[in-house]
Amino acid sequence: MYSATDLYPNAHVTQAVHEYSIAHSTPLPDVMGQHREKTIEFSEKAGMDPTMMVNTLQAQFMLFFAKLIGAKKVLEVGTFTGYSALAWAEAIKGQEGAKLVCCDIPGPHTELAKATLLEAGFSDTLVTFLEGDGVESLQSLPADQFDIIFLDANKNGYTPAIKTVLSRNLLSPRGVLIADNALKRGLVADTTDRNPHAVNLDTSSIMSYKHCDEFNKFVRDDERLEQVMLPAFDGLNIIRLKQ
Ligand SMILES: C[S@@+](CC[C@H](N)C(=O)[O-])C[C@H]1O[C@@H](n2cnc3c(N)ncnc32)[C@H](O)[C@@H]1O
């Protein structure tokens, strides 16, 4: 039995394992590799942070996972330029009734996302964009149930988002809600100076990890939910309704 730190004991091994994992997972469609590059260029010009995109391996996981559970309807809160949305669209395409709803605030990144999904062949029948605050979009979108709900926007929206999902019954009975960045660079577990991410934290980063912690505790303590916190990527809190 190995602990997490025994398995990948330093940054070099962790990086090598990451690259090996990408190379031994089903490759993403070419359009996603191209869009990754385009987003990096776009972000440089727009003064945005391209690392907001999920990484390649996480996209491989999400695409695989959506197919594994036979997802048809996906709701994403936090689309940025559309990289993760491409993975969801690829996973659900071709099924009758398939639907991807993308929520983000208006801006050039959302325009790029809309154009990218269309150019990749995903029509506006399959993909809908709701522009505005994500929680408000969840409160106002037409009643429906989604097989996957992916939270990847502002962290102060996570708890209001899941409360809205529960009160509006937006998650299908066998659906899965995935909250990204749930471990927030490990800050939810360790803010001592042993965690380099804890050094010189600005107020917004402190609030951000506290919102993740508040969300994780809400989920853990809610009798209607069961969940697993995976220390993969920046932490995936994978949640479903108790059966
Ligand atoms: C981490 S990025 C999403 C990355 C995307 N899922 C991907 O992997 O390519 C977070 C996004 O949340 C959006 N966002 C921030 N505040 C928001 C809000 N209040 N409502 C909706 N979206 C918001 C940002 O504009 C940004 O595009």
Side-chain angles (χ1 to χ4, degrees):
M1 187 77 75
Y2 290 95
S3 74
T5 43
D6 290 336
L7 278 174
Y8 311 130
N10 59 49
H12 296 288
V13 178
T14 304
Q15 181 61 24
V17 167
H18 182 75
E19 285 165 19
Y20 182 94
S21 301
I22 291 172
H24 294 78
S25 299
T26 302
L28 294 168
D30 289 345
V31 66
M32 291 192 63
Q34 290 152 11
H35 187 58
R36 205 170 177 82
E37 295 305 315
K38 195 170 181 176
T39 294
I40 292 167
E41 274 174 40
F42 161 86
S43 301
E44 259 170 37
K45 288 187 195 137
M48 296 180 108
D49 177 8
T51 67
M52 288 205 289
M53 274 183 291
V54 298
N55 71 32
T56 303
L57 185 60
Q58 186 172 347
Q60 287 170 303
F61 167 74
M62 287 166 27
L63 205 166
F64 180 90
F65 181 82
K67 285 185 175 176
L68 177 73
I69 67 162
K72 246 190 352 189
K73 293 187 187 175
V74 178
L75 173 60
E76 174 174 88
V77 185
T79 293
F80 189 36
T81 65
Y83 182 72
S84 51
L86 282 171
W88 299 130
E90 183 66 27
I92 63 172
K93 70 179 185 190
Q95 303 178 76
E96 211 185 311
K99 176 174 175 177
L100 168 63
V101 177
C102 296
C103 306
D104 209 303
I105 51 182
H109 58 292
T110 302
E111 294 308 312
L112 177 55
K114 288 196 262 185
T116 300
L117 271 290
L118 266 181
E119 275 163 33
F122 302 116
S123 71
D124 51 16
T125 319
L126 181 77
V127 187
T128 313
F129 279 83
L130 300 179
E131 293 182 56
D133 175 66
V135 175
E136 285 175 19
S137 295
L138 292 181
Q139 285 162 348
S140 59
L141 59 78
D144 206 344
Q145 289 201 314
F146 295 88
D147 306 307
I148 292 180
I149 298 178
F150 183 54
L151 299 185
D152 192 19
N154 51 318
K155 307 312 164 203
N156 61 351
Y158 277 29
T159 304
I162 196 164
K163 286 182 177 169
T164 307
V165 165
L166 291 168
S167 65
R168 295 205 61 211
N169 206 11
L170 294 173
L171 191 60
S172 65
R174 296 196 166 271
V176 180
L177 186 148
I178 303 174
D180 200 11
N181 311 110
L183 293 173
K184 212 58 193 147
R185 283 33 175 194
L187 291 167
V188 293
D190 185 349
T191 46
T192 67
D193 55 11
R194 288 179 306 230
N195 181 350
H197 296 294
V199 177
N200 296 329
L201 274 185
D202 58 26
T203 313
S204 99
S205 307
I206 293 172
M207 289 317 293
S208 185
Y209 91 73
K210 288 194 169 171
H211 287 305
C212 289
D213 186 42
E214 171 203 33
F215 170 82
N216 294 333
K217 289 185 165 59
F218 173 86
V219 170
R220 179 196 63 189
D221 296 339
D222 192 296
E223 293 289 323
R224 295 165 288 184
L225 302 172
E226 56 190 10
Q227 65 283 336
V228 61
M229 174 71 76
L230 274 192
F233 314 113
D234 192 23
L236 299 182
N237 198 343
I238 303 182
I239 302 156
R240 69 174 197 154
L241 300 168
K242 261 187 199 150
Q243 302 298 301

